[in-house]
Structures are given as structure tokens and as C-alpha cells.
Amino acid sequence: MDRLPKSISSKWLLCLFSKRSSRKDQKVVKAVPQAPETVTSSSTVPSSTEQVEGKEENSLDAIYRDINRFDNVVAADYSDHHYINESNNSGQPPKSWTKKIQQEWKILQKGLPDSIFVRVYEERLDLMRAAIVGADETPYHDNLFFFDIFFPSNYPTSPPNVYFHSGGLRLNPNLYQDGKVCLSLLNTWNGSGSEMWRSKGKSSILQVLVSIQGLVLNSKPYFNEPGFEKSEGTPEGERRSIKYNENAFLLSCRTMVYMLERPPKNFEKIVSVHFQLRGIGILEACKAYLNGGQAGSLSVGDEGCSSEFKASLQLLVPKLCTAFTQIGLDCGQAYPVEEKAQMHDQL
């Protein structure tokens, strides 16, 4: 088991939103019982072949901003959802359960930051899927991380079940290869008081998602390991943290390739637009790390990245370029042909 930071309170939610979003309406609102309106944001996003040709970069950025962060998908195909075979065996759910799910939807509609996308399903109120964008200055920057969510029949007395699409990789102490999410707010790790799930409207799925983004996918995930936080700030602890960040970034890049090849259902266009917009920046970050930058940081260390990291990253960059090219991105902006050839020769 792994140590996990304290869950994010409502006060911290507001702080995070103010830092990560320029929208004026980013705030946590009181839940109301009305059902959320049905929206179909996916229809506003062009396909990967439509969105690059003949469009300026600013236009693509506008398309990305216009994608609804929350969407109730009608007649959706959710066959790849991890909890598709889970069911609330108590028959017709009580009205109080349905009302609570609708309250959660309303909170998400009005409170999601720009860096989190959520899709819910009209036919399965107990299922939800979320995509979280890795924050800047972390080894997870610019990537998309997907989580499947299931609301049990006794929700909110019990917390939701959350599964991480890991691709079989362990890129964070609190995100397991088997999809387990270790978070005190989900009662999957030790905690007390406000750190744990609280029913009666005090905890919400929005709080869970922002906690994962801010506390799990953070700039120094090494110190999430139990006991390792004691070494934070020491030369040896910081050295090990930098090494961990190097590996986390490599694994994050591998999940990018995997996600582009097999995007989760109902997120295909979001994945395409996201990486068309951020792919060049990701490749430029790779170049910076190969030239001495520290993985997941804007700073340059005395010795730069390790030789092992650079060798592994050189193997990954061509795979990233291939994946980005398949969605219509011109990787030559970051890696001209001559640089690609030189990199290939080095391999």
C-alpha cells in the first residue's frame, strides 16, 4: 500500500480552479435536485481528418476550448467501460439515489475545471468516465489520464468505485497496474476525518477528480510512497525523486501512444484534438529533456537527465511522432527530417 496525501477540501477546490482555469464560473456550487440538461458536445468536435486541414492553430485551440467538459451522452456505446458488468442488484434504485446522482451531474456541469472532461450515460446512471489532463511542471504534463467510475446502490453512504486505465503500467505510487486508485477519499487508503469519504453531501465525485489531479498526479510523486516524505528536501530524497520523475514521464509517453491507438469510447475526438493541440509541445519537451532539462520541470539540473533516461526517451520519440502523425500532426515542427535521421542513427 502507498501513502496518499490528504484529500482536497472545498476550499482547496476553489484555489485549484482559480489557478487552472480562466473561466469566471469555475467554482463549487451547492447541489440542486434538478436533472442536468442533456448536451451533446461530441458533435461540435471535428474528426481528426477535418480539424487540421485548412485551419489555423488558433482555430484548433478554439475548438478544444469549446468542447463541453461535461456531457450526458445519449445512446452511447460504453461497452469498454470497466464496470459495464457491474449492477445494482437491488432492482430499481431508490429515488434518493437517482436524485444524488443528478446532483453530482449538476455540480460537475458548473464546477469542472478546463482540464477535466466527464461523460455520463443516460441509460446507465451508475456509470461515468473522466479524463484528467496532467498539470504543467509534473512528469504527467499534457497527457490524458482516464478513469471509469461506478456508483453503488448505497451511494453516497459509500464512495464510488474508481478504476484507472493504466495500460498495465505503474506510473504513480497511487495508481496501480490493475487499475486500483489508492486514495483516502475513496476509502482505499488510511485517513481520518475530512480525508475520508463523507456522506450527506460533504464529499463529491468532483472532489475525487480534483484530488487525483492535484495530489496524485503531482510534481514529485515519489514522495507519495509511505515513509518517503521524510526524505523530501534532502539531497538523496531529491535525487531519487528526479529519477522517479524520469521513469514516470517515460511511462506517461507510452500511455500516450497506447491511448492514441485505442482511445476510450466517447472520447475519441477529444483525444485527437487534445494531442493535435499539444503534440508539438510534448515533442519539444522531449527535446529539452534530451538536452539537459529535468523531466517534468522547467529547470535544468547540474547533470541534466540520466543517460538511461535519454536512451529510453530516444526510443520513444519516434513512436510518439508516428502516433501524432496518424492524427494529422506535422511532427517536423519539433523534429525536422534531419534530426529524425540523426536520432535514428544514434539508435
Side-chain angles (χ1 to χ4, degrees):
M1 295 295 290
D2 298 307
R3 181 185 73 87
L4 191 71
K6 297 179 180 179
S7 59
I8 294 178
S9 66
S10 298
K11 180 179 180 180
W12 278 105
L13 283 172
L14 291 171
C15 179
L16 280 169
F17 292 166
S18 64
K19 290 182 179 180
R20 295 180 180 170
S21 172
S22 60
R23 296 189 303 179
K24 295 181 179 180
D25 61 347
Q26 294 305 311
K27 58 183 179 179
V28 179
V29 298
K30 294 183 178 180
V32 292
Q34 291 86 354
E37 297 178 2
T38 299
V39 291
T40 54
S41 66
S42 57
S43 63
T44 67
V45 185
S47 67
S48 60
T49 58
E50 295 172 337
Q51 55 204 4
V52 175
E53 186 175 357
K55 290 186 178 294
E56 300 292 335
E57 183 178 357
N58 289 340
S59 178
L60 186 61
D61 186 67
I63 290 171
Y64 188 70
R65 289 197 308 269
D66 288 342
I67 298 175
N68 287 329
R69 271 43 190 172
F70 178 89
D71 190 359
N72 179 8
V73 186
V74 179
D77 179 3
Y78 41 80
S79 58
D80 66 336
H81 198 285
H82 180 73
Y83 296 107
I84 183 66
N85 294 321
E86 293 284 343
S87 62
N88 291 311
N89 297 322
S90 57
Q92 186 70 19
K95 291 183 178 180
S96 59
W97 180 89
T98 302
K99 179 180 178 181
K100 178 58 181 176
I101 299 300
Q102 292 173 342
Q103 288 176 336
E104 293 281 15
W105 287 11
K106 201 69 175 180
I107 292 173
L108 291 169
Q109 278 184 305
K110 295 187 176 182
L112 276 175
D114 287 342
S115 52
I116 299 178
F117 301 86
V118 170
R119 297 294 178 260
V120 297
Y121 313 103
E122 189 73 24
E123 300 84 359
R124 288 289 302 268
L125 301 184
D126 56 342
L127 301 182
M128 179 182 291
R129 173 168 286 167
I132 297 176
V133 180
D136 293 342
E137 297 189 55
T138 75
Y140 311 107
H141 66 80
D142 297 306
N143 200 1
L144 285 171
F145 300 93
F146 286 87
F147 298 84
D148 286 354
I149 299 157
F150 172 75
F151 297 96
S153 57
N154 63 344
Y155 183 84
T157 301
S158 295
N161 299 336
V162 179
Y163 172 86
F164 171 57
H165 285 257
S166 69
L169 303 174
R170 183 76 179 276
L171 49 70
N172 185 280
N174 304 103
L175 302 175
Y176 287 60
Q177 294 99 319
D178 63 2
K180 178 182 178 181
V181 178
C182 191
L183 186 69
S184 57
L185 187 58
L186 295 173
N187 294 349
T188 53
W189 180 243
N190 298 328
S192 61
S194 61
E195 300 173 25
M196 305 296 289
W197 180 263
R198 296 183 294 171
S199 58
K200 299 181 180 179
K202 293 184 178 180
S203 296
S204 70
I205 191 62
L206 176 60
Q207 187 181 2
V208 170
L209 296 176
V210 177
S211 292
I212 292 172
Q213 184 182 53
L215 298 179
V216 175
L217 299 171
N218 61 43
S219 61
K220 295 183 177 182
Y222 172 79
F223 297 113
N224 282 8
E225 290 281 7
F228 288 9
E229 74 278 7
K230 297 177 182 179
S231 66
E232 187 170 5
T234 67
E236 180 63 16
E238 295 301 320
R239 185 189 68 81
R240 291 178 179 272
S241 176
I242 291 172
K243 183 70 173 179
Y244 191 97
N245 278 9
E246 291 181 353
N247 186 60
F249 180 74
L250 293 172
L251 295 178
S252 181
C253 288
R254 288 175 60 184
T255 66
M256 292 181 198
V257 175
Y258 175 84
M259 205 62 62
L260 284 162
E261 293 175 347
R262 306 173 185 83
K265 292 184 182 297
N266 304 298
F267 282 83
E268 296 91 344
K269 294 179 180 179
I270 292 175
V271 170
S272 178
V273 174
H274 175 86
F275 285 109
Q276 285 183 73
L277 187 62
R278 300 202 181 200
I280 297 301
I282 292 167
L283 293 176
E284 289 177 343
C286 291
K287 183 185 292 187
Y289 301 154
L290 290 171
N291 290 330
Q294 291 183 358
S297 173
L298 298 177
S299 63
V300 177
D302 294 335
E303 300 179 359
C305 294
S306 66
S307 58
E308 295 85 358
F309 170 77
K310 291 180 180 180
S312 297
L313 187 56
Q314 283 182 325
L315 290 171
L316 268 174
V317 167
K319 296 179 181 179
L320 282 172
C321 287
T322 298
F324 291 154
T325 299
Q326 290 175 348
I327 59 170
L329 192 65
D330 178 12
C331 296
Q333 298 178 54
Y335 281 89
V337 174
E338 58 270 18
E339 287 192 32
K340 291 182 185 178
Q342 183 180 10
M343 181 175 291
H344 184 272
D345 293 339
Q346 291 173 349
L347 298 178

